[in-house]
Amino acid sequence: LQILLDLPESEKAKRLLERVRDQVRGGTPLSDALEAEHGSFSKLYVNMVRAGEAGGSMDETLARLADYLERSANLKGSVINAMIYPAFLVGMVMVSLMVLLVYVVPQFAPMFTDMGVEMPLITKIVLAVGETLQSFWWLIIALIVFGIGWFRRQMADPPARLKIDARFLKTRVVGDVIRKVETARLARTLGTLLKNGVPLLSGLTVARNVMNNTVLAEALEHATDEVKSGGGLGYSLAQSKSFPKLAIQMISVGEESGELASMLMKVADTFDIEVKNTLDRLLAALVPATTIVMTIVVATIMLAIVLPIMNIAGAVH
């Protein structure tokens, strides 16, 4: 802990390590010192360290914990890296469309009015959109801010969040990805805890706290109650019909063979790969799909401008 004090660049991290070091010097177990840092270390982290202390295998425990955190960070990082280009593309296209609709298109409206040309429906719609954005941009921004605030309040309300999470799960592509991500997180957390000697019921309680989707977390809670009553983990998870069948089958095999912890890690690896492949395919399709949609929108705007000009040219001729 003393050596670690030389590693962090931020003063906040150094002060945190100093507090942990001082508590350990005073005879406090490392797990209790970490838990006293008010949420800086997750329940998974604290429970794994506590299990390592009880089993006399702190070095192996911390190595497994580091591997767990590295894998989680790599998956999150790969998703963020893959999203950079599509997000940049969409952002640039949206800015271009705003410039066209707010500044370019309205310039033609006075000319069309002065010439007395009959404007096609598509031109009227595009001009109306441009005038709305130009006159009521503040209202649109206010509505967006209000919508974000309302959504955050809904996510903070447990019953409302349960309904939102249930809708996400029912969405065809998004729901499948969420289910796989949460299953991988559950399996890796529980498998890592079991490998470090944490009892199954305690591990299930900790694993529930690392899940983001409240529907799946609730299903895991019901499965935990089934396990308390003597049911197997695979059977208990199957009752909820919320988790992938492949994961349940692999967990059942792990229970029957007495290798539940190792099988849970295999489940996590399997679904991590599936999530990465699914996201790669979705992101690969997003760029051409976005390009096609934006091309159609830009072509529509240009058509709305060109058609009245052609009418004017025809009238002059």
Side-chain angles (χ1 to χ4, degrees), residues 5-316:
L5 284 171
D6 297 328
L7 298 180
E9 295 182 358
S10 69
E11 286 299 320
K12 184 178 179 181
K14 286 183 179 180
R15 288 196 297 269
L16 185 149
L17 281 173
E18 284 176 354
R19 290 194 299 270
V20 172
R21 180 202 60 188
D22 293 341
Q23 288 195 57
V24 173
R25 273 181 177 171
T28 303
L30 177 60
S31 57
D32 292 345
L34 297 177
E35 192 173 25
E37 289 302 318
H38 309 295
S40 297
F41 299 90
S42 67
K43 289 186 177 181
L44 166 69
Y45 202 111
V46 173
N47 277 275
M48 282 191 62
V49 172
R50 185 167 287 137
E53 289 171 335
S57 57
M58 276 291 290
D59 53 346
E60 294 179 7
T61 299
L62 292 173
R64 290 193 185 116
L65 184 55
D67 180 64
Y68 172 87
L69 295 173
E70 285 172 1
R71 286 174 180 269
S72 299
N74 287 338
L75 179 61
K76 184 178 180 180
S78 64
V79 173
I80 293 174
N81 291 338
M83 285 294 296
I84 290 176
Y85 177 67
F88 179 77
L89 176 64
V90 172
M92 291 301 295
V93 171
M94 292 301 295
V95 170
S96 301
L97 288 177
M98 290 294 292
V99 171
L100 278 174
L101 289 171
V102 175
Y103 294 104
V104 178
V105 172
Q107 302 295 325
F108 290 89
M111 182 182 71
F112 295 153
T113 304
D114 293 340
M115 296 293 294
V117 64
E118 179 64 27
M119 289 185 289
L121 178 61
I122 188 174
T123 304
K124 293 178 181 178
I125 293 174
V126 171
L127 287 174
V129 172
E131 290 174 1
T132 302
L133 290 174
Q134 196 174 40
S135 303
F136 299 102
W137 59 268
W138 54 271
L139 179 60
I140 295 171
I141 294 175
L143 288 173
I144 292 173
V145 172
F146 175 79
I148 293 173
W150 176 84
F151 182 76
R152 292 183 67 177
R153 285 195 299 273
Q154 291 294 302
M155 292 298 285
D157 180 45
R161 178 167 182 177
L162 192 65
K163 293 179 181 178
I164 294 172
D165 285 345
R167 287 176 186 169
F168 277 132
L169 279 181
K170 291 177 181 177
T171 306
R172 188 171 182 180
V173 177
V174 175
D176 186 50
V177 172
I178 291 174
R179 192 172 280 105
K180 289 177 179 178
V181 168
E182 293 287 73
T183 300
R185 183 180 288 123
L186 165 64
R188 192 170 300 285
T189 302
L190 187 57
T192 305
L193 289 168
L194 292 178
K195 277 182 173 292
N196 285 278
V198 176
L200 178 58
L201 289 175
S202 300
L204 286 170
T205 302
V206 175
R208 183 184 183 279
N209 292 324
V210 303
M211 300 185 73
N212 292 324
N213 187 277
T214 54
V215 175
L216 295 177
E218 195 172 85
L220 181 60
E221 187 174 9
H222 293 319
T224 304
D225 294 336
E226 288 281 341
V227 173
K228 286 179 182 177
S229 302
L233 178 60
Y235 171 80
S236 302
L237 292 174
Q239 299 308 301
S240 67
K241 298 181 180 178
S242 299
F243 295 94
K245 290 183 178 180
L246 175 60
I248 293 172
Q249 291 170 352
M250 291 177 70
I251 290 172
S252 298
V253 170
E255 286 181 302
E256 292 173 5
S257 62
E259 296 289 338
L260 179 58
S262 299
M263 188 59 75
L264 283 167
M265 302 303 285
K266 289 181 181 178
V267 170
D269 291 339
T270 299
F271 281 91
D272 276 346
I273 293 171
E274 285 198 19
V275 168
K276 187 177 184 304
N277 291 338
T278 301
L279 290 175
D280 286 344
R281 288 193 294 268
L282 288 175
L283 293 172
L286 179 62
V287 174
T290 303
T291 303
I292 292 171
V293 170
M294 295 308 172
T295 300
I296 294 173
V297 173
V298 172
T300 302
I301 295 173
M302 299 309 297
L303 188 64
I305 296 173
V306 170
L307 283 178
I309 294 176
M310 292 177 64
N311 290 344
I312 294 173
V316 171

